[in-house]
Amino acid sequence: MTKVVIVGGVAGGMSAATRLRRLQEDAEIIIFEKGPYVSFANCGLPYYVSGEISDRDQLLVQTPESLKARFNLDVRPYHEVIAINPEMKTVTVKNNVGTLEETYDKLILSPGASPFVPPMTGLDEATNVFSLRNVPDLDAIMKQLEEKGTAETVVIGAGF
Ligand SMILES: Cc1cc2nc3c(=O)[nH]c(=O)nc-3n(C[C@H](O)[C@H](O)[C@H](O)COP(=O)(O)OP(=O)(O)OC[C@H]3O[C@@H](n4cnc5c(N)ncnc54)[C@H](O)[C@@H]3O)c2cc1C
């Protein structure tokens, strides 16, 4: 039985995991996700800010429980892979209790990206500057909007 460890539990990681399950029914598949949520709808995040999506739960497409039930995946949120030991074929993982070692036969890395925030004077002191990449980012934006309203908002970066 092949044991596969996947780092990152959103679009890439979870697509790999579910595809692998279809190809190998008996593989052991463990997904480590450092954040609180897996398989969430990144593309829907802006629509929750604008109100087109009004129910936050609609962004949370799957849970570790549903992925276990449907695909027999071992999904572990709040687990950050902090080291890879290729010779031993192990990863070192940090969670809220401490660190642990997990062995693998195959390792898939899908850790995504992070917003590029250029160095700007004053940014370190500012408390009202946000990026939007995941659900905790979204919650921080919504909290600010609820508490302070939308009187003046500046968007830096006009890509997609
Ligand atoms: C606001 C927004 C809107 C978007 N809209 C669209 C759209 O309309 N159409 C479209 O095609 N694409 C859209 N995208 C892009 C799309 O969401 C990304 O291309 C896709 O999410 C990338 O998937 P990924 O799995 O590579 O990375 P991610 O989705 O970033 O997932 C990587 C995961 O790995 C985790 N991770 C990182 N390092 C570690 C570690 N060491 N240990 C454990 N876990 C780790 C991260 O916490 C993260 O959850 C949008 C993205 C955003 C942010």
Side-chain angles (χ1 to χ4, degrees), residues 7-13 32-35 37 40 42-47 79-82 110-113 132-134 160:
V7 182
V10 191
F32 291 117
E33 166 55 54
K34 72 177 176 182
Y37 301 107
F40 60 86
N42 321 49
C43 307
L45 300 176
Y47 298 102
H79 281 67
E80 180 178 10
V81 173
I82 55 170
S110 186
L132 180 58
R133 179 79 208 179
N134 52 38
F160 182 53

